[in-house]
Amino acid sequence: MASHVVGYPRMGPKRELKFALESMWDGKTQAADLEQVAKDLRASIWKQMSEAGVSMIPSNTFSYYDQVLDTTAMVGAVPSRYEWTGGEIGHDVYFSMARGNKTKPAMEMTKWFDTNYHYIVPELSGETKFVYSSRKAVSEYNEAKALGIDTVPVLVGPVTYLLLSKGDKSAPKGFNTLSLLDAILPVYKEAITELKGAGASWIQLDEPKLVMDLESAQYEAFKKAYAVLSEVSGVKLLVETYFTDLPVEAYKTLCDLPIAGFGVDLVRGSKTLAVIKEHALPTGKTLFAGVVDGRNIWANDLAASVNTVKELQASLGKDNVVVSTSCSLLHSAVDLKNETKLDNELKSWMAFAAQKLVEVVAIANAVSGNKDEEYFAANAAAQASRRNSPRVHNKAVKELAAGLAGSEHRRATPVSTRLEEQQKYLNLPILPTTTIGSFPQTPELRRVRREVKSKKISEEDYDKAIKAEIDSVVKLQEELDIDVLVHGEPERNDMVEYFGEQLDGFCFSANGWVQSYGSRCVKPPIIFGDVSRPKAMTVYWSSYAQSVTKRPMKGMLTGPVTILNWSFVRNDQPRSETCYQISLAIKDEVEDLEKANITVIQIDEAALREGLPLRKSEHADYLRWAVHGFRITTCGVKDTTQIHTHMCYSNFNDIIHSIIDMDADVITIENSRSDEKLLSVFREGVHYGAGIGPGVYDIHSPRIPPTEEMADRARKMLAVLESKVLWINPDCGLKTRKYGEVVPALTNMVNAAKQLRAELAK
């Protein structure tokens, strides 16, 4: 029986690609050095899959930044501001689109469906001329072939690519990117023809948009696209879908397309199995059954997966099913092999990407009658151990969370009244300035945190070093004349990991890195059991920071929904139950900060939108418990305590009423990189009575926006928002930037606020 993998992590087991990218961006190495690291990584990944026994190995899932940006390069859809003049797209143009440069802003970045991975949003118009401009897919296929490994080249499908795109600034309002389908298909056809000529027998086209709620015209676009692409004879097309249930209409559409097979997610798409059984698979088509979870790190229940595959074979035919992953393993950690922080029991419950390759092959072999009895017995024992472990279950925590039912946990006073009370105490100017939380994480800071963990320096020396950094960050903000300060978070490795390390029910890997965007990787905490807070987590550092300034100092917390969505979450209970447990822990922390006289507390919910289910019918239930989970954390504070929250890099317009229902006093929110898309919701008449700070500059680009550019952004905000509620701030935290970029950018930001105050005074 055949086995297949949708995609694989590209960073490397030790983040080799991250370090190679950043070294080249810093001018320390050349492009040739980066290319050699990338080539070595690709070869290692292909050999690993081949040695594991995977029969259908993907290629072109490697990327220097993002697979959607790779597709933009393939079709030559480079925005005119980057002054590309044609030919094969090189590193300069590619990375300018991703990161911006000294004179040109980057393209918009947003979340890839409901994951923490980010993609670069294509900018298109009726004037876009598509031309085959990157032969990366063919090059990587040939690279693998030279190693003696035949692969399945992977492309982002044309319909999903267009539906993920946006109209550029020249496009009319409401521009339908699908109107460009006829124009883009010849480029895809050319790429497929070239791949076929190189020897590819299968080509995978990822079309995850098929799992969404689509209109009839969008289904027609899929039919049209694959009618054209199937004209290339002699090659089999595989359309891959993932991340949730496949709607019946989408399943029927896939059955009707002139393709050889299609893939479905049978992990997050638990209802899809019933759809498949009810509707026959056409003769000659192959179903790629995604039974191994690509989104989490828990070991597969091998016996259950074998039964699922056998059920499918009984319905569809023995030779019409391939064992696969539910989606790309890009969203999982790389390899358990070198993990030193996880004990043997915990590791027995888990499978990272490398182990998932073994699971896929083992399931396929077992269905074919070649079951590895020892491997399956160990898996069954680990499943039973996890189900019954006292490390997982805490009766007291479960009872506390169950007791939350029956209350909405709202603050008693309306936000307008609270803001008046807070202003009496805080005495802030109009258009107050702040930052989002983190300041640059220097090599020296990372060294200090590393050395205290390895006991190379004492806790006392660590304490002195962190306090010195806080002193420096506070002094800098005072010199810049920022109104509400932050302590810079020098003690924190990551905004979720830092909290998870101090909560019961979490564990941590040493090398479980997952790509978020570009070279940015995160190491998600693993929630394996019931969650509780043994002691205060942030009060010590926040209290110290407030003691060295007379200006308001924000206490900085990560919210329960973001901790949930940015962790590998236990899959043995509903996510809402785990969220409520985290909410209770953060509630305790909020109230301890208030007791310590921290009067401004920010509870970041950067990932609230990210967790929104892909199907509209499921939105209301998720937003109900997610927003409730946030309100639990703040319901016990005084009116004079100002609660902030922050959200970044998502489309918020469709959930604005849920954001209002969170009942925060102030929200700071990404705005600049998405061309002020957020402001359109206020132009359409939504009234937002709380404080709000749409970001005035993009922190994910090294570019330093001038004062007037930021002032102009704020003027656009003032056209739709009252001056008394508007805050001036960056899009996001400053952790990934350098001080040489941060200081002039914040200087310009504060100057922009002062300029606008003067204009308003007149």
Side-chain angles (χ1 to χ4, degrees):
M1 184 178 194
S3 54
H4 166 259
V5 172
V6 177
Y8 201 79
R10 55 185 70 131
M11 278 290 143
K14 297 180 179 178
R15 294 181 291 163
E16 292 89 340
L17 180 59
K18 169 190 173 66
F19 298 122
L21 281 166
E22 292 174 357
S23 180
M24 190 193 79
W25 292 339
D26 288 342
K28 296 175 183 176
T29 52
Q30 303 301 311
D33 301 308
L34 171 64
E35 289 162 3
Q36 186 60 53
V37 169
K39 185 175 181 180
D40 291 345
L41 277 173
R42 290 192 294 267
S44 173
I45 290 166
W46 291 325
K47 288 176 182 176
Q48 183 181 15
M49 290 197 216
S50 179
E51 290 166 4
V54 177
S55 50
M56 299 182 74
I57 296 170
S59 61
N60 199 43
T61 59
F62 177 87
S63 175
Y64 285 116
Y65 207 94
D66 160 49
Q67 67 266 19
V68 180
L69 183 61
D70 291 351
T71 310
T72 294
M74 183 186 82
V75 301
V78 180
S80 59
R81 64 180 175 277
Y82 301 111
E83 299 174 350
W84 174 62
T85 55
E88 191 84 1
I89 290 173
H91 291 312
D92 284 350
V93 172
Y94 181 89
F95 288 125
S96 289
M97 289 191 286
R99 305 176 70 238
N101 55 42
K102 289 182 178 179
T103 59
K104 308 297 181 187
M107 295 167 70
E108 181 184 350
M109 180 171 71
T110 196
K111 297 292 176 69
W112 174 250
F113 294 84
D114 60 348
T115 74
N116 188 30
Y117 179 78
H118 300 66
Y119 73 94
I120 302 298
V121 181
E123 301 174 14
L124 308 176
S125 75
E127 304 303 312
T128 301
K129 305 297 181 189
F130 296 112
V131 58
Y132 192 22
S133 304
S134 171
R135 287 166 170 75
K136 175 178 172 293
V138 178
S139 173
E140 291 187 14
Y141 176 82
N142 286 330
E143 210 176 282
K145 192 175 181 181
L147 297 171
I149 300 172
D150 187 42
T151 60
V152 178
V154 179
L155 305 174
V156 175
V159 182
T160 289
Y161 176 78
L162 291 176
L163 290 174
L164 292 175
S165 302
K166 68 175 185 178
D168 67 18
K169 289 184 178 179
S170 71
K173 186 177 181 180
F175 175 69
N176 181 7
T177 53
L178 276 183
S179 65
L180 301 173
L181 185 61
D182 287 340
I184 204 171
L185 287 176
V187 177
Y188 271 86
K189 199 171 177 182
E190 191 175 351
I192 290 169
T193 301
E194 199 169 317
L195 286 165
K196 173 201 165 187
S201 56
W202 282 88
I203 296 172
Q204 176 180 315
L205 293 111
D206 285 5
E207 294 282 13
K209 271 288 182 179
L210 272 165
V211 304
M212 306 285 282
D213 299 306
L214 299 180
E215 300 169 358
S216 58
Q218 294 167 325
Y219 282 121
E220 289 302 315
F222 282 102
K223 295 173 185 177
K224 182 176 188 178
Y226 287 90
V228 171
L229 299 184
S230 67
E231 292 171 2
V232 182
S233 60
V235 64
K236 296 177 180 178
L237 300 183
L238 158 63
V239 172
E240 191 62 62
T241 72
Y242 36 76
F243 294 153
T244 193
D245 285 300
L246 195 64
V248 173
E249 186 63 29
Y251 180 81
K252 290 179 177 179
T253 298
L254 285 163
C255 287
D256 291 341
L257 295 183
I259 57 176
F262 58 88
V264 295
D265 183 339
L266 295 175
V267 178
R268 292 202 167 211
S270 57
K271 300 173 186 173
T272 299
L273 190 61
V275 173
I276 294 168
K277 289 178 179 178
E278 185 178 344
H279 302 276
L281 191 72
T283 303
K285 274 196 172 56
T286 302
L287 182 83
F288 288 70
V291 292
V292 173
D293 192 352
R295 292 276 299 267
N296 217 327
I297 47 71
W298 301 112
N300 188 274
D301 184 338
L302 298 177
S305 291
V306 167
N307 288 338
T308 297
V309 175
K310 286 182 175 178
E311 280 184 59
L312 286 168
Q313 285 186 327
S315 296
L316 308 178
K318 188 176 179 181
D319 298 325
N320 297 332
V321 182
V322 172
V323 176
S324 185
T325 55
S326 66
C327 63
S328 173
L329 299 177
L330 172 70
H331 309 288
S332 178
V334 180
D335 195 345
L336 266 175
K337 182 175 65 175
N338 299 318
E339 278 305 324
T340 55
K341 290 180 72 173
L342 298 168
D343 62 53
N344 288 335
E345 182 180 43
L346 287 171
K347 284 201 283 189
S348 74
W349 300 346
M350 298 177 191
F352 288 5
Q355 289 68 48
K356 290 176 187 292
L357 300 179
V358 178
E359 289 181 338
V360 167
V361 174
I363 293 164
N365 288 344
V367 173
S368 300
N370 300 310
K371 183 179 177 182
D372 183 334
E373 296 289 352
E374 185 178 346
Y375 181 67
F376 270 70
N379 175 262
Q383 296 288 324
S385 164
R386 184 177 166 218
R387 276 193 303 272
N388 301 315
S389 173
R391 300 173 72 179
V392 172
H393 305 289
N394 183 322
K395 183 180 178 182
V397 171
K398 290 183 187 297
E399 288 175 352
L400 279 173
L404 295 170
S407 171
E408 292 195 342
H409 297 91
R410 295 183 183 275
R411 295 172 78 179
T413 310
V415 67
S416 57
T417 304
R418 298 197 307 261
L419 288 173
E420 290 174 4
E421 291 300 309
Q422 292 156 13
Q423 179 58 12
K424 289 175 188 175
Y425 187 84
L426 297 171
N427 194 29
L428 297 172
I430 196 167
L431 307 182
T433 54
T434 191
T435 63
I436 303 307
S438 60
F439 264 64
Q441 294 264 318
T442 63
E444 175 65 15
L445 267 182
R446 292 189 177 98
R447 180 191 65 78
V448 167
R449 287 204 306 265
R450 209 166 42 242
E451 290 186 353
V452 76
K453 283 192 174 184
S454 61
K455 302 191 183 306
K456 290 182 179 178
I457 62 172
S458 67
E459 289 288 345
E460 184 180 357
D461 288 338
Y462 172 75
D463 193 89
K464 287 178 182 176
I466 297 299
K467 284 180 176 175
E469 179 67 16
I470 291 172
D471 291 344
S472 174
V473 168
V474 170
K475 183 181 178 184
L476 172 61
Q477 291 172 92
E478 289 180 332
E479 290 171 350
L480 291 169
D481 202 17
I482 292 173
D483 299 304
V484 176
L485 310 189
V486 297
H487 76 290
E489 305 177 9
E491 78 284 11
R492 304 185 189 186
N493 44 10
D494 174 83
M495 65 182 285
V496 175
E497 184 175 359
Y498 177 78
F499 290 94
E501 285 176 336
Q502 301 181 76
L503 293 169
D504 288 342
F506 283 75
C507 64
F508 296 86
S509 62
N511 295 296
W513 297 99
V514 179
Q515 185 183 19
S516 179
Y517 62 87
S519 67
R520 169 82 169 134
C521 298
V522 294
K523 186 150 56 72
I526 299 165
I527 306 176
F528 70 88
D530 292 324
V531 177
S532 60
R533 186 195 75 144
K535 61 182 180 179
M537 302 179 284
T538 66
V539 175
Y540 178 76
W541 296 117
S542 292
S543 297
Y544 175 76
Q546 184 64 81
S547 75
V548 298
T549 183
K550 293 181 180 179
R551 300 188 183 206
M553 173 64 62
K554 286 198 279 192
M556 299 299 305
L557 305 176
T558 302
V561 184
T562 295
I563 291 176
L564 183 86
N565 286 335
W566 285 358
S567 297
F568 290 125
V569 183
R570 57 190 293 190
N571 57 0
D572 61 340
Q573 70 177 17
R575 289 171 70 87
S576 57
E577 290 184 24
T578 304
C579 183
Y580 286 163
Q581 292 176 1
I582 302 169
S583 296
L584 288 169
I586 300 300
K587 179 179 187 290
D588 289 345
E589 189 71 15
V590 169
E591 291 170 8
D592 280 351
L593 282 168
E594 185 181 62
K595 288 173 189 173
N597 297 316
I598 303 299
T599 56
V600 181
I601 302 172
Q602 182 169 308
I603 307 166
D604 286 347
E605 285 295 13
L608 179 82
R609 176 62 174 77
E610 177 183 309
L612 192 70
L614 298 177
R615 304 290 290 281
K616 290 178 182 176
S617 61
E618 299 169 12
H619 286 191
D621 183 61
Y622 166 77
L623 290 169
R624 175 191 57 76
W625 63 255
V627 171
H628 185 198
F630 178 85
R631 288 200 308 265
I632 288 166
T633 67
T634 65
C635 65
V637 300
K638 304 171 191 171
D639 287 353
T640 51
T641 298
Q642 189 167 85
I643 298 294
H644 289 225
T645 190
H646 170 69
M647 298 182 184
C648 57
Y649 299 98
S650 282
N651 181 7
F652 303 104
N653 292 19
D654 56 346
I655 63 164
I656 190 65
H657 293 288
S658 294
I659 292 173
I660 293 170
D661 198 37
M662 291 168 70
D663 200 25
D665 297 308
V666 178
I667 180 170
T668 51
I669 197 162
E670 183 275 327
N671 173 66
S672 64
R673 188 158 182 168
S674 57
D675 297 325
E676 292 95 23
K677 191 188 326 181
L678 171 71
L679 301 185
S680 64
V681 75
F682 302 114
R683 294 189 190 101
E684 291 163 7
V686 171
H687 176 70
Y688 194 80
I692 183 167
V696 294
Y697 83 91
D698 173 25
I699 65 87
H700 288 300
S701 169
R703 179 174 173 269
I704 300 164
T707 296
E708 188 53 37
E709 181 180 311
M710 293 196 232
D712 187 55
R713 279 211 172 96
R715 288 188 192 100
K716 292 177 182 176
M717 299 171 195
L718 286 167
V720 293
L721 294 165
E722 295 180 69
S723 59
K724 68 179 182 180
V725 303
L726 185 63
W727 286 63
I728 306 296
N729 47 262
D731 266 350
C732 204
L734 303 170
K735 176 181 177 179
T736 59
R737 301 266 54 91
K738 297 179 174 64
Y739 274 104
E741 301 157 348
V742 166
V743 173
L746 290 180
T747 299
N748 292 350
M749 184 190 83
V750 173
N751 287 339
K754 290 179 177 179
Q755 181 179 319
L756 288 165
R757 288 171 194 160
E759 291 174 13
L760 288 169
K762 291 178 183 178

